[in-house]
Amino acid sequence: MSRDHMQSAERSAAADPPGGAEVPFLELLARGAPVDAYEQPVLRARAEGRAPEWIAALETAKLRALRVRAELEGRRRREAELSALFETAHDLAGLRDLDAVLQAIVQRARSLLGTDVAYLSLNDPERGDTYMRVTEGSVAARFQQLRLGMGEGLGGLVAQSARPYVTDDYFHDERFRHTMTIDTGVRDEGLVAILGVPLMLGQQVIGVLFAADRRARVFEREQIALLGSFAALAAAAIDTTHLLTETRSALAGLEHANEIIRDRSAVIERAAEVHDRLAELVLRGGGVHDVAAAVSEVLEGTVRFTETDATPAAPLEASRADGHAVRHKDDWIAAVAAGDELLGALVLRGQPDLDPVDQRTLERAAMVTSLLLLARRSAAEAEQRVRGELLDDLLDARGHDPRLLRERAARLRADLDATHVVLAARLDGTAADAEQEAAARRRLWSAASHLAATRHGLAAARDGGTVLLLPLTDGDTATDVARGAARRLGTAVHEAVTVGASAPVENLTAHPDAIAAAYAEGRRCLEALRLLGRTGDGAAAEDFGFLGLLLAGDRDIAAFVDRTIGAVVAYDEHRHTDLLRTLEAYFACGMSPARTKDELHVHVNTVAQRLERVGRLLGEDWQSPARLLEIQLALRLHGLAVPRP
């Protein structure tokens, strides 16, 4: 509304009879005018000399309008506070990590009250004091590490009395006990006004939530109540983070107990339903987790399949021996077994008073689970055998049709046209007897088969170890693949696994002998690693320097020369220099610059400059003993390959 329009309305109201006195104030309310604007209609009426009755009516209407405005402001403020609390509860409900929960609590507290600093302290039952857990906006390290005894400082008083306390001037407030340690920390932080509210769980105080300013400030009653409400949500969130599992288990147990009391016949109906659902799952090829989900729904509880090592040993063994579900605290455990082999367990959480019919339902589900696990194991073993047979045929590919080999690989999601690396893997532990050694080899083969399946490769047991054929992805080298395989296989079998890799192999089906030769190269690298004491590691021939020439299947001399002195060769070719001839003369003269300059008929400074250039091309360590040997060998091989005129 324009100013002229408002003034026109006010003049109109000043001339109207008393019944229209509310009109200008309604317009002010509608546009959210400030408080001082409500005086304008009265002042204008007086200035115009209106009748006392009319001015009195305007005064009455003004007071009513101000009351309405105050009520609307209060409602908007309460709405904003409730909205903030609801948003806080929503945010905290999604948090599970305790540190993240506490950080969110402190951030919210600072944001809601608009303070300089917010922080949270938690009680330490063992030491009988409170300690600073999380701060937001704090700049003083000493303040962030404070510990407060019960009753010491404002926070200690809040924790001890379980009541909110506020001070607008901390250092001049004598209601609580000051200590030098606490006062020093507060002074370092520069705090003046502090509000603290307890975090309560029932009658127990678990900590204190603070909001503080570095200037004098009076915290209003509504702000104290708001922070108290937020502290209640925070305490509940902390408790939820600690006790989420126990709460769910207890709730599931109560729900099941109430169901039994309410309708006994429902137990029989559930048994029939689970029987039908388990049969359907088996027929359509469902998995273990499908069984657990179906039983959870029918028993109206939480059923989980757990591995053997994650299940309490005593009740698991009792269930296996007895063939029935066994109660363990508030849970029921049904062993999933195949003969004497334990495969895991189905665990029903939080239903201690399980009906006998529901117990048999859980036991039947455990039997179905064991059948599914055995079927899955058989299928996995069959696929592993198929992959192993295909790799065996590739290693002996002379008598096989390449087209059929490619089709068999495609059915296993392996692409024989891609570039691959052949790996030879072997355990390096010492078994106590032949049986343990055979078991260790089976574990290695199983782990290698799983690795090959996930990488769209192949694996087979061979020569007391395992051979793998893995595709080489962009950016990876044969060394990367070997080391990654050694690490993953060692983790899977909990023993050191040494892996030797071949050079990359292409077009596998077009070269029948390529995989066999690559496997032989991988085995030589494997043996070299073991002889060098590098068990548990992975490497390819390129990692052994000139020894790689002896290990590599194709004796790639050109690649060795290029890796070793290629930079010098390229420099000479592009710049028409004599660095190679200088190196040869330098080595022939016993690495003596003086004798080298006589051999080359140049100044000794020229020799020094050329050797300095060589160092920049080959690296500062080019004259170390190991590098010298490789460089001299590379020079000899280069000279044989490119004879000088």
Side-chain angles (χ1 to χ4, degrees):
M1 180 182 294
S2 68
R3 185 176 187 86
D4 292 342
H5 186 204
M6 184 181 72
Q7 291 175 351
S8 175
E10 292 168 349
R11 287 194 296 269
S12 174
D16 286 342
E22 292 87 353
V23 172
F25 299 107
L26 290 175
E27 293 179 354
L28 292 172
L29 285 170
R31 67 185 181 87
V35 174
D36 55 3
Y38 287 77
E39 292 291 341
Q40 296 302 321
V42 179
L43 295 175
R44 186 175 297 280
R46 287 175 177 166
E48 294 176 355
R50 307 309 302 166
E53 294 83 359
W54 175 243
I55 294 175
L58 286 175
E59 288 283 1
T60 302
K62 179 191 73 172
L63 294 176
R64 290 174 180 170
L66 288 174
R67 285 197 298 271
V68 171
R69 182 183 183 280
E71 181 66 24
L72 290 175
E73 287 293 329
R75 290 186 179 183
R76 280 195 291 267
R77 185 175 61 254
R78 287 192 293 274
E79 181 181 354
E81 292 172 352
L82 287 175
S83 176
L85 288 173
F86 283 133
E87 289 177 2
T88 299
H90 180 270
D91 290 346
L92 293 176
L95 296 172
R96 291 296 178 266
D97 178 67
L98 181 58
D99 290 332
V101 171
L102 297 181
Q103 191 65 46
I105 291 168
V106 173
Q107 290 174 350
R108 284 285 184 179
R110 185 186 181 197
S111 175
L112 287 175
L113 272 72
T115 56
D116 296 325
V117 181
Y119 50 100
L120 183 145
S121 65
L122 293 181
N123 288 3
D124 188 340
E126 295 182 359
R127 297 182 56 170
D129 61 2
T130 65
Y131 65 96
M132 203 74 71
R133 179 62 185 266
V134 179
T135 63
E136 180 72 16
S138 172
V139 296
R142 187 178 336 195
F143 179 78
Q144 297 167 13
Q145 299 171 3
L146 279 179
R147 297 191 74 97
L148 295 77
M150 290 297 183
E152 294 179 357
L154 178 65
L157 183 59
V158 173
Q160 186 180 49
S161 63
R163 293 175 53 194
Y165 275 87
V166 60
T167 177
D168 57 358
D169 191 346
Y170 177 86
F171 291 101
H172 294 89
D173 196 330
E174 300 299 332
R175 292 175 300 166
F176 46 84
R177 182 153 53 96
H178 290 262
T179 68
M180 181 178 297
T181 301
I182 299 173
D183 286 357
T184 301
V186 174
R187 186 174 291 106
D188 287 350
E189 193 61 53
L191 300 181
V192 177
I194 304 175
L195 166 61
V197 294
L199 272 63
M200 304 287 297
L201 285 180
Q203 300 299 317
Q204 180 185 4
V205 179
I206 64 172
V208 181
L209 180 61
F210 297 89
D213 261 346
R214 296 188 175 95
R215 63 187 182 281
R217 169 178 176 171
V218 176
F219 289 95
E220 299 177 358
R221 184 184 309 170
E222 291 81 2
Q223 292 174 319
I224 298 174
L226 177 61
L227 191 61
S229 299
F230 186 76
L233 284 175
I238 293 173
D239 186 50
T240 300
T241 303
H242 283 304
L243 305 175
L244 183 60
T245 302
E246 292 81 353
T247 301
R248 287 177 176 173
S249 298
L251 179 60
L254 290 174
E255 289 177 352
H256 184 64
N258 290 334
E259 180 65 21
I260 293 176
I261 294 172
R262 187 166 55 249
D263 191 358
R264 178 70 180 175
S265 63
V267 177
I268 306 300
E269 294 176 2
R270 287 200 301 271
E273 181 183 356
V274 77
H275 180 272
D276 295 341
R277 296 191 63 173
L278 291 178
E280 179 187 357
L281 282 174
V282 172
L283 291 175
R284 68 179 175 86
V288 171
H289 296 293
D290 295 326
V291 173
V295 178
S296 296
E297 185 176 345
V298 172
L299 296 183
E300 299 181 355
T302 302
V303 177
R304 294 284 185 269
F305 172 77
T306 61
E307 300 291 343
T308 302
D309 55 1
T311 309
L316 179 62
E317 180 59 31
S319 175
R320 186 198 65 79
D322 190 44
H324 297 290
V326 174
R327 177 177 170 178
H328 176 65
K329 298 180 181 179
D330 288 343
D331 303 336
W332 284 86
I333 296 176
V336 177
D340 293 333
E341 182 183 3
L342 276 172
L343 305 177
L346 284 185
V347 180
L348 175 62
R349 305 284 187 188
Q351 294 198 22
D353 300 322
L354 195 63
D355 186 272
V357 177
D358 287 340
Q359 292 182 33
R360 288 193 290 275
T361 297
L362 185 63
E363 294 160 5
R364 185 180 297 116
M367 293 177 59
V368 172
T369 301
S370 66
L371 292 174
L372 291 176
L373 287 174
L374 289 176
R376 186 172 67 181
R377 177 192 292 179
S378 299
E381 290 176 350
E383 182 177 348
Q384 290 175 358
R385 284 194 297 272
V386 171
R387 289 180 180 274
E389 291 169 358
L390 175 57
L391 183 52
D392 284 335
D393 290 342
L394 287 170
L395 287 167
D396 186 21
R398 285 187 174 276
H400 298 278
D401 185 347
R403 181 179 57 83
L404 294 179
L405 291 174
R406 187 179 288 105
E407 291 177 357
R408 288 168 60 189
R411 287 194 292 269
L412 296 171
R413 299 182 300 280
D415 182 10
L416 297 184
D417 293 326
T419 302
H420 287 72
V421 173
V422 180
L423 305 178
R426 186 175 299 175
L427 290 167
D428 287 297
T430 303
D433 51 42
E435 183 177 351
Q436 289 188 7
E437 182 177 358
R441 290 180 178 178
R442 285 194 298 270
R443 289 197 304 273
L444 176 60
W445 174 68
S446 178
S449 299
H450 177 72
L451 175 60
T454 58
R455 292 283 303 272
H456 303 294
L458 304 173
R462 202 173 185 90
D463 300 324
T466 301
V467 56
L468 298 92
L469 178 69
L470 299 181
L472 189 65
T473 58
D474 293 339
D476 280 346
T477 64
T479 301
D480 296 332
V481 176
R483 289 176 177 170
R487 183 173 58 255
R488 293 185 59 178
L489 294 177
T491 301
V493 302
H494 305 293
E495 291 186 41
V497 177
T498 306
V499 178
S502 71
V505 183
E506 300 178 352
N507 224 352
L508 301 179
T509 55
H511 303 89
D513 297 331
I515 297 182
Y519 173 55
E521 179 180 334
R523 287 192 64 191
R524 288 194 294 271
C525 290
L526 169 64
E527 294 301 327
L529 285 172
R530 300 180 71 184
L531 289 172
L532 295 172
R534 291 173 56 184
T535 56
D537 197 1
E542 62 186 21
D543 300 314
F544 293 94
F546 75 91
L547 291 177
L549 292 175
L550 306 176
L551 300 174
D554 56 2
R555 303 294 194 271
D556 193 353
I557 294 175
F560 169 75
V561 172
D562 185 64
R563 286 197 307 270
T564 308
I565 60 172
V568 178
V569 174
Y571 191 89
D572 274 356
E573 290 177 352
H574 287 92
R575 309 228 176 182
H576 305 290
T577 54
D578 284 329
L579 297 184
L580 281 177
R581 193 160 68 90
T582 301
L583 271 178
E584 291 173 348
Y586 180 63
F587 290 131
C589 295
M591 300 174 63
S592 168
R595 294 170 57 191
T596 303
K597 61 100 175 175
D598 294 336
E599 176 70 19
L600 297 175
H601 305 290
V602 296
H603 195 275
V604 69
N605 290 342
T606 302
V607 174
Q609 291 171 0
R610 291 178 181 180
L611 294 179
E612 182 181 356
R613 173 64 64 182
V614 169
R616 286 199 293 269
L617 293 172
L618 300 184
E620 295 181 357
D621 65 336
W622 74 277
Q623 297 196 67
S624 65
R627 293 286 310 275
L628 283 175
L629 179 60
E630 292 186 0
I631 291 171
Q632 291 182 69
L633 178 58
L635 285 172
R636 293 290 184 88
L637 293 172
H638 180 265
L640 293 174
V642 185
R644 300 184 185 279

